Amino acid sequence: MEREIRIDAAPEIVFDVVSRPEHLKMWWSDDASFEPAPGAVGELTWGDRAVVEQFTVVDVDPPHRFAIRWIAPDGQLPDAGNSLLITFELEPSGDGTILRLAESGWREKGWEAAVLEEAFHDHERGWDLFLPRLRGYAVSVVAR
């Protein structure tokens, strides 16, 4: 799954918005806790801890790339063999940034076709909701 949006904020600001817990919880999850360092394990929380997803930070290359692995089987830390990979690629564009999001590893999950299709569409709907929120929030960070 891939998405691309233009954001009226410098790559350095957009990088902070996608890679720091205090910013993530303003546009994506209700809470986030992690260190933005490769190998760090963190969690994203929605609702009153109704949904908690552990993730592993894979790549931190400011202000160009931030990547995490998430959606691992219960009780397992997300790694290359059991999870989805989310990558945020940032490219300067005039006075703003082109953000390219990719979420991969779907076929490797080993889910049956109906489960895979429903999860994929659920994530598509999610990113279609959260990326505009990311854009608006990043612009509000610039205005501060």
Side-chain angles (χ1 to χ4, degrees):
M1 169 183 332
E2 296 180 356
R3 295 286 185 272
E4 179 176 302
I5 61 170
R6 186 181 189 289
I7 302 171
D8 291 327
E12 292 78 11
I13 289 172
V14 177
F15 183 83
D16 280 351
V17 166
V18 300
S19 68
R20 299 183 54 85
E22 65 270 23
H23 291 300
L24 274 184
K25 64 186 183 178
M26 300 304 291
W27 64 269
W28 188 13
S29 58
D30 293 326
D31 201 7
S33 61
F34 65 97
E35 290 295 321
V41 174
E43 69 178 27
L44 300 170
T45 306
W46 287 268
D48 189 18
R49 296 191 64 81
V51 177
V52 178
E53 284 294 339
Q54 277 197 316
F55 67 92
T56 304
V57 178
V58 175
D59 192 10
V60 182
D61 180 17
H64 309 288
R65 179 181 160 98
F66 183 71
I68 65 169
R69 288 201 161 274
W70 77 325
I71 314 294
D74 287 342
Q76 296 181 27
L77 287 178
D79 64 31
N82 70 358
S83 61
L84 300 177
L85 175 67
I86 299 173
T87 304
F88 297 95
E89 294 277 355
L90 309 176
E91 179 184 313
S93 174
D95 59 355
T97 303
I98 300 293
L99 178 144
R100 291 183 185 88
L101 172 131
E103 190 171 23
S104 59
W106 295 96
R107 284 184 173 71
E108 294 79 2
K109 291 291 288 174
W111 292 331
E112 61 183 60
V115 171
L116 175 65
E117 185 175 348
E118 177 55 35
F120 186 85
H121 290 308
D122 184 50
H123 284 234
E124 281 184 317
R125 288 186 298 271
W127 289 120
D128 289 346
L129 170 71
F130 292 121
L131 288 177
R133 288 174 57 177
L134 184 163
R135 176 190 292 130
Y137 177 69
V139 170
S140 79
V141 171
V142 171
R144 291 184 191 167

